[in-house]
């Protein structure tokens, strides 16, 4: 069984739409990460969460520790947001990162 | 902002040959990792390294794989005798306390 699940697997949105990507995990964690991977392959950290909510520009990430669930929201989506968004967890501070399968987002002008 | 750098960006190697993938972690980081991503699949953990020794390795990291920190800056992944199924994107990462892991841009390894 995968320790990190994401939905949806693929998402197509019109420019300007509000987007939500969901993540659920089945293990105890010290941190949850949202990462972005562009077609070139590089991985960029967007958020690291252990509780509550974080906001950076048009991106918002929330986590519910009791429900083992996190969401990534993108407001006023733009074609440059098109990428794969990956939810990942760490069980302890310096542990390996356990990756989810990713959500492929395409924002159409 | 400091970056993790990986070289080469693309490596093409004949099956059975040895390959060394190189990484320069962020200078004050103490924890180092290798991951791989087979095309179309999720990123998988290979190995973590701290204080000049392996702290954890996955089932993928068999006797054909080794890691080394030969000097104060480089962190290398060696595959002794490459197989077709080793074709993947390999990512190096480094971490310091209570911060996210920083990932390099990856080395795309193609085994012919």
């Amino acid at each position: 069984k995968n320790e990190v699940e994401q939905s949806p697997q693929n998402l197509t949105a019109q420019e300007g739409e509000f987007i939500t990507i969901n993540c659920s995990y089945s293990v105890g964690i010290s941190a949850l990460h949202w990462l972005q991977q562009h077609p070139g392959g590089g991985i960029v950290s967007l958020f690291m969460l252990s509780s509550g909510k974080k906001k950076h520009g048009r991106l918002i990430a929330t986590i519910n520790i009791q429900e083992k669930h996190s969401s990534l929201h993108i407001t006023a989506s733009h074609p440059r947001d098109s990428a794969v968004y990956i939810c990942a967890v760490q069980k302890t501070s310096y542990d390996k990162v356990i990756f989810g399968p990713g959500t492929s987002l395409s924002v159409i002008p | 902002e400091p970056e993790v750098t990986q070289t080469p960006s693309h490596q093409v190697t004949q099956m059975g040959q040895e390959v060394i993938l190189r990484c320069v972690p962020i200078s004050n980081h103490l924890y180092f990792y290798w991951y791989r991503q087979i095309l179309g699949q999720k990123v998988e953990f290979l190995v973590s390294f701290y204080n000049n020794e392996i702290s954890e390795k996955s089932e993928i990291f068999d006797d054909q794989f080794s890691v080394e920190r030969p000097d104060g800056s480089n962190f290398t992944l060696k595959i002794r005798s490459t197989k077709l199924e080793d074709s993947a994107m390999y990512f190096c990462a480094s971490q310091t306390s209570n911060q996210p892991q920083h990932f390099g841009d990856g080395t795309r390894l193609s085994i012919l």
Side-chain angles (χ1 to χ4, degrees):
Chain A
K1 183 182 183 296
N2 291 324
E3 292 170 294
V4 182
E5 303 277 7
Q6 288 183 236
S7 63
Q9 185 178 346
N10 297 288
L11 182 55
T12 300
Q14 290 288 330
E15 183 173 357
E17 282 187 8
F18 180 83
I19 289 163
T20 295
I21 299 170
N22 293 301
C23 173
S24 60
Y25 55 93
S26 57
V27 295
I29 65 169
S30 66
L32 181 140
H33 304 267
W34 281 102
L35 308 159
Q36 183 189 57
Q37 186 174 32
H38 278 283
I43 296 171
V44 175
S45 176
L46 299 175
F47 294 103
M48 177 176 168
L49 293 162
S50 54
S51 65
K53 177 179 174 178
K54 286 191 176 179
K55 184 175 190 290
H56 185 250
R58 294 179 294 105
L59 302 179
I60 303 165
T62 63
I63 187 169
N64 184 319
I65 298 292
Q66 286 72 33
E67 295 186 4
K68 291 187 164 62
H69 181 270
S70 176
S71 294
L72 177 69
H73 306 285
I74 305 175
T75 62
S77 59
H78 189 276
R80 65 174 175 267
D81 297 326
S82 298
V84 175
Y85 291 84
I86 303 171
C87 176
V89 300
Q90 279 179 289
K91 294 180 184 178
T92 61
S93 295
Y94 302 107
D95 198 6
K96 61 185 179 289
V97 174
I98 303 169
F99 288 79
T103 294
S104 179
L105 171 66
S106 179
V107 181
I108 300 169
Chain B
E1 185 176 320
E3 291 181 344
V4 175
T5 56
Q6 289 186 243
T7 55
S9 57
H10 190 191
Q11 174 81 44
V12 181
T13 301
Q14 291 287 333
M15 186 173 61
Q17 295 295 306
E18 175 182 285
V19 66
I20 297 175
L21 309 182
R22 302 182 192 279
C23 170
V24 179
I26 294 172
S27 61
N28 64 335
H29 287 189
L30 299 177
Y31 297 83
F32 313 113
Y33 311 83
W34 284 101
Y35 299 86
R36 80 170 186 192
Q37 185 177 32
I38 294 170
L39 188 64
Q41 297 185 20
K42 66 180 181 181
V43 178
E44 304 171 284
F45 167 74
L46 290 177
V47 65
S48 56
F49 192 87
Y50 170 71
N51 200 25
N52 282 320
E53 60 184 28
I54 290 173
S55 40
E56 185 180 358
K57 59 184 180 179
S58 72
E59 291 176 354
I60 303 167
F61 194 89
D62 61 21
D63 292 344
Q64 294 300 313
F65 290 86
S66 62
V67 290
E68 196 176 39
R69 190 157 160 81
D71 53 41
S73 59
N74 290 286
F75 180 50
T76 62
L77 174 69
K78 182 194 292 187
I79 309 174
R80 258 181 276 284
S81 177
T82 50
K83 303 187 278 284
L84 292 176
E85 54 264 39
D86 294 327
S87 295
M89 183 77 100
Y90 288 80
F91 292 101
C92 173
S94 67
Q95 183 176 354
T96 188
S97 59
N98 294 324
Q99 297 295 316
Q101 287 183 17
H102 291 247
F103 292 86
D105 286 339
T107 292
R108 184 168 298 284
L109 178 62
S110 299
I111 307 299
L112 304 178

